[in-house]
Amino acid sequence: TSLNANVLKLTEPAKDLLPDVDVFIFDCDGVIWRGDSVIEGIPETLEKLRALGKKMYFVTNNSTKSRKGYKKKFDSLGLDVPAEEIFSSSFAAAAYLEQTNFKESGKKVYVVGEIGIQEELDLIGVPHFGGPEDGGKQPDMGPGGALPHDSDVGAVIVGFDRNINYYKIQYAQLCINENPGCEFIATNTDAVTHLTDAQEWAGNGSMVGAIKGCTGQEPTVVGKPSPLMIDYLCSKLGLDKGRICMVGDRLDTDILFGTDNGLKSLLVLSGVTTEEKLLSQENTITPDYYADSIVDFFVDENA
Ligand code: PLP
Ligand code: CA
């Protein structure tokens, strides 16, 4: 179709990109998989890139799983990816606490979120509570009712939480508003997410928005587009930003993460962004390149 011809034409310069890139950072949902299905041709494409000597890292804003949880997901999809190459926003939240020496404060974390955040906090030995355990609770709102809270909570982490409720919101509010110096950390602020193919679902932006609304505080965001993960990768692994290409399907997280941080960027249309949206006048975030999917992009020129 003419649309496809147009896409191929516009990605033509991308062939010149490979020699200039040592490292690919891949967003996960919409690039590698959609929900629980691997995108067709991805295993072969990753193998091809590895054979070319390219390094790759996988960065997802979805905080519901830990790095270990994602390793299992990659395995189940037939993708042979070491855990060290996977960076989830749950891991980023723990990495941020490590970077700021939170453990030495002797304080605890209150979690609005799911098991991924809890598993990452366990790995760094930071005490925490909340999460799924508070899923069925309601505060006492009868006459004289008050919700007691722990004055030793030094940080509230807010991640995607399918069991968020009024108890958790009030608990987070009390910690952030009443504990001096308590940090408000958001794993990510994605507005909507494709939990199913049928429609868009409220993303972690809605959970973070609830806590912003009652505290008036702005969170420290650790997921994309925050520079935290790229700084972590570059400092721990000695990567050169100028030779990294960020590949993602979302303009306001992935592509912004690339353009804000001095990386090359490639938008793929295999996820949430349509070509119409990318090229529309309202869009102000422009990737260096775009393609239907990375499978098309890294097409075998001899095939
Ligand atoms: N947050 C949630 C809850 C999700 O389900 C998803 C995608 O499935 C995302 C964030 C975005 O993930 P990614 O950064 O891999 O696109
Ligand atoms: Ca994505």
Side-chain angles (χ1 to χ4, degrees):
T1 66
S2 59
L3 184 76
N4 265 337
N6 200 22
V7 171
L8 286 172
K9 186 175 165 210
L10 283 164
T11 58
E12 197 68 21
K15 289 205 175 70
D16 306 334
L17 181 64
L18 278 181
D20 293 337
V21 174
D22 299 330
V23 178
F24 284 95
I25 297 182
F26 292 116
D27 163 54
C28 295
D29 197 77
V31 175
I32 305 298
W33 57 67
R34 261 194 303 265
D36 288 324
S37 317
V38 69
I39 292 175
E40 210 189 317
I42 288 294
E44 297 80 5
T45 303
L46 297 184
E47 271 169 33
K48 209 149 59 181
L49 286 173
R50 270 193 213 283
L52 289 172
K54 306 300 177 190
K55 278 192 201 163
M56 48 194 92
Y57 297 97
F58 301 84
V59 178
T60 176
N61 265 0
N62 188 337
S63 66
T64 60
K65 288 183 175 64
S66 61
R67 232 179 181 187
K68 213 175 98 203
Y70 279 109
K71 169 69 183 147
K72 277 195 196 139
K73 177 162 183 167
F74 276 91
D75 286 348
S76 75
L77 296 176
L79 298 165
D80 186 17
V81 169
E84 301 75 48
E85 292 181 359
I86 305 168
F87 294 85
S88 58
S89 61
S90 52
F91 174 82
Y96 172 77
L97 292 182
E98 280 217 297
Q99 222 171 52
T100 54
N101 298 317
F102 183 85
K103 200 171 162 183
E104 282 73 74
S105 72
K107 304 230 174 194
K108 306 171 202 168
V109 172
Y110 183 69
V111 177
V112 178
E114 301 192 6
I115 191 175
I117 297 169
Q118 296 180 310
E119 287 182 355
E120 292 295 351
L121 293 177
D122 285 341
L123 284 174
I124 60 165
V126 164
H128 60 88
F129 62 102
E133 288 80 47
D134 286 352
K137 294 186 183 172
Q138 281 301 322
D140 176 10
M141 288 174 281
L147 178 63
H149 81 283
D150 190 333
S151 59
D152 278 340
V153 170
V156 173
I157 297 179
V158 182
F160 188 69
D161 187 337
R162 280 164 284 195
N163 288 298
I164 193 166
N165 56 31
Y166 192 62
Y167 176 96
K168 294 187 191 181
I169 294 170
Q170 171 64 355
Y171 203 100
Q173 183 272 125
L174 291 170
C175 293
I176 293 168
N177 281 346
E178 298 192 4
N179 293 356
C182 180
E183 289 205 60
F184 171 18
I185 300 164
T187 56
N188 63 305
T189 56
D190 294 44
V192 289
T193 163
H194 281 238
L195 291 184
T196 67
D197 275 345
Q199 61 184 197
E200 292 185 328
W201 295 82
N204 195 39
S206 62
M207 287 95 202
V208 174
I211 310 302
K212 269 168 80 163
C214 60
T215 59
Q217 299 293 315
E218 280 299 321
T220 299
V221 180
V222 296
K224 299 168 288 185
S226 152
L228 194 111
M229 267 300 97
I230 195 69
D231 291 346
Y232 183 93
L233 275 162
C234 290
S235 72
K236 290 253 173 183
L237 306 165
L239 306 181
D240 171 1
K241 280 186 187 178
R243 297 193 57 85
I244 300 176
C245 182
M246 175 69 208
V247 183
D249 69 322
R250 209 182 167 90
L251 291 161
D252 65 357
T253 53
D254 305 318
I255 301 308
L256 198 59
F257 179 76
T259 55
D260 273 1
N261 292 303
L263 317 178
K264 296 174 181 35
S265 59
L266 164 65
L267 181 91
V268 288
L269 302 173
S270 49
V272 299
T273 306
T274 59
E275 187 175 41
E276 191 187 356
K277 185 172 170 198
L278 168 69
L279 302 178
S280 78
Q281 301 230 316
E282 288 88 68
N283 175 37
T284 55
I285 304 168
T286 312
D288 294 315
Y289 306 103
Y290 79 104
D292 283 339
S293 94
I294 57 169
V295 177
D296 304 315
F297 183 80
F298 298 117
V299 62
D300 186 347
E301 284 170 41
N302 301 318

